[in-house]
Amino acid sequence: MSQHASKKFTSGRKVTLGVGALAASGLALGLLGAPSAMAGETGAAGALKQSRAAAADASAAKAAAPKGLTASSTAAASTTVSGVSVNGGNSASVGTTNTQTITVKWKVSGGSTLYGSHASIWRGTDLEDGLEQFMTSEEFNADIDPCVQSGTTTFNCTATFRIDPQYDLTNADAGAWKISLWAFTDADTDVDTDNAKTWYLKRLSRLSTDAAPEPVAKGKTITITGTLTRANWDTHKYAGYTQQTVRLQERSLTGSYATTSSHSTGTGSQAGVEKQTRTATTDRCYRYKFEGTTTTPPVTATGDCVDVR
C-alpha cells in the first residue's frame, strides 16, 4: 500500500456516538468508557480502522437497543442516504499555501433514531489493498455528531475536512476521490458504503491575459499573451500547465465574449504560455479561457481591452 510519509490525515482520536442514541440504547456508559478503536493509530490505514470501529459501535448500539426502539412505528424498512455533495458540487480545489475546508453534506432517512452516521474521504483503487489516502472529518476527530434531526425520520448531516496543501498533499493526490459513508438507524437495514459518491480534488489554476501595446495605432499588431499555471503540491509553488487547450475569446467594448480560436499552451521555457496576434481595427477586449481537466479546475482570465487610435 502506497503511503506518503509526510502525511497526517487524521489526529488518531476516537469518535464517540451521539449521547442521545447511546442513552436510548442503554449503552452510553459502556461505549463512551471503552471505545473499540485504537486511539494511537494514525495515517490512512489507522483512520480507516477507526471509522470502521465507530461503525461497529453504532451497529452494536442498535443491536442492543430495546425492541420498542428498534421497531418504532415510524421506522421504514431501510435506512437511506441521499443528497451527498462536496462543496455543493462534485469537486474541490486547493492552492499551495492556504488550508482548504471541504464540506460534505448528506441526508439520512428511514428511522426515527439515529445510532450514528459519518462520512470520510479517500483516494485509491479500493480500501483493502489499494488505499492511498483516508481522511476522517473534523467532527469525527472531535467526537461531535455531524447530524441534526430535521423531521420524524430524517437527519441532515455535515462533515468538514481541513486540508493543508503544504502538509497533506502531493501532486499524486489530484484527481478522483471517493466518499465512504455509513449510517445506522432503527430501520431494518443500514447503509455502509465505500463509495457514496466520486468527486475530484484539483490543483487550483490561474490564467492571465495581457493585450499589448495599449493604446495601439489602427492597423498595427496586437499581441495577446496568456499564461496558464496550476498549484504544484510537491514544490508548493505555481507552475506552467503545458500542452493544455486554451480558448482565445474576444468582444467589442459593449458586447459579449465569444471564442475565436483555440490553442495549446507552451512547454519548456514557455511552459503554460500562449501568444496570439490580431490586427488593430477597433477598440476590442480579449481574454483566455481554460475548460479544466480531472486534476485542474476551469479558469477564465480577466479581460484586457485595447484602445485603438
Side-chain angles (χ1 to χ4, degrees):
M1 178 179 68
S2 175
Q3 188 90 14
H4 300 302
S6 64
K7 295 183 184 297
K8 184 186 177 185
F9 259 125
T10 175
S11 68
R13 295 181 60 186
K14 169 67 177 71
V15 71
T16 54
L17 300 176
V19 174
L22 288 171
S25 71
L27 294 184
L29 294 177
L31 287 181
L32 290 175
S36 59
M38 298 179 64
E41 295 207 41
T42 59
L48 172 61
K49 184 176 291 186
Q50 290 175 10
S51 177
R52 286 178 168 173
D57 284 349
S59 179
K62 175 180 177 176
K67 286 186 177 181
L69 292 175
T70 57
S72 68
S73 60
T74 57
S78 301
T79 301
T80 61
V81 170
S82 60
V84 182
S85 67
V86 178
N87 286 353
N90 66 349
S91 67
S93 303
V94 179
T96 60
T97 57
N98 296 331
T99 297
Q100 175 73 38
T101 298
I102 295 173
T103 302
V104 174
K105 293 187 176 183
W106 69 100
K107 177 182 285 187
V108 178
S109 305
S112 59
T113 300
L114 179 64
Y115 294 96
S117 183
H118 275 285
S120 302
I121 57 177
W122 66 281
R123 182 180 71 82
T125 55
D126 63 77
L127 289 179
E128 304 306 325
D129 301 315
L131 182 63
E132 298 288 343
Q133 294 284 13
F134 191 96
M135 181 179 180
T136 50
S137 69
E138 295 292 297
E139 290 75 15
F140 185 99
N141 296 335
D143 299 346
I144 297 173
D145 191 340
C147 301
V148 176
Q149 190 159 9
S150 58
T152 304
T153 59
T154 59
F155 300 81
N156 290 330
C157 309
T158 301
T160 54
F161 302 82
R162 291 173 56 83
I163 298 181
D164 183 347
Q166 297 200 29
Y167 184 61
D168 296 327
L169 301 176
T170 70
N171 289 340
D173 293 315
W177 286 57
K178 299 178 181 67
I179 296 175
S180 171
L181 196 154
W182 48 264
F184 293 85
T185 75
D186 56 351
D188 292 340
T189 62
D190 300 297
V191 173
D192 190 355
T193 176
D194 294 342
N195 188 8
K197 187 177 185 65
T198 297
W199 61 285
Y200 291 84
L201 184 62
K202 299 186 177 185
R203 297 161 59 179
L204 190 64
S205 54
R206 295 174 175 175
L207 182 58
S208 64
T209 298
D210 179 50
E214 300 178 61
V216 63
K218 188 174 183 179
K220 295 295 185 180
T221 298
I222 301 170
T223 301
I224 305 103
T225 304
T227 303
L228 175 65
T229 61
R230 63 174 177 167
N232 186 314
W233 294 333
D234 294 336
T235 64
H236 309 129
K237 299 178 181 179
Y238 280 82
Y241 197 9
T242 63
Q243 297 181 309
Q244 297 302 308
T245 298
V246 292
R247 308 186 191 283
L248 178 60
Q249 299 186 323
E250 304 179 28
R251 68 170 175 85
S252 65
L253 294 183
T254 58
S256 300
Y257 278 107
T259 298
T260 57
S261 57
S262 298
H263 312 276
S264 182
T265 56
T267 60
S269 62
Q270 295 294 301
V273 176
E274 175 54 34
K275 291 184 180 181
Q276 293 297 311
T277 59
R278 293 291 187 268
T279 299
T281 55
T282 61
D283 293 351
R284 201 156 181 80
C285 303
Y286 305 88
R287 72 180 185 185
Y288 284 105
K289 184 176 183 177
F290 171 60
E291 300 292 346
T293 65
T294 57
T295 62
T296 310
V299 61
T300 301
T302 301
D304 191 13
C305 299
V306 177
D307 178 17
V308 178
R309 298 179 180 179

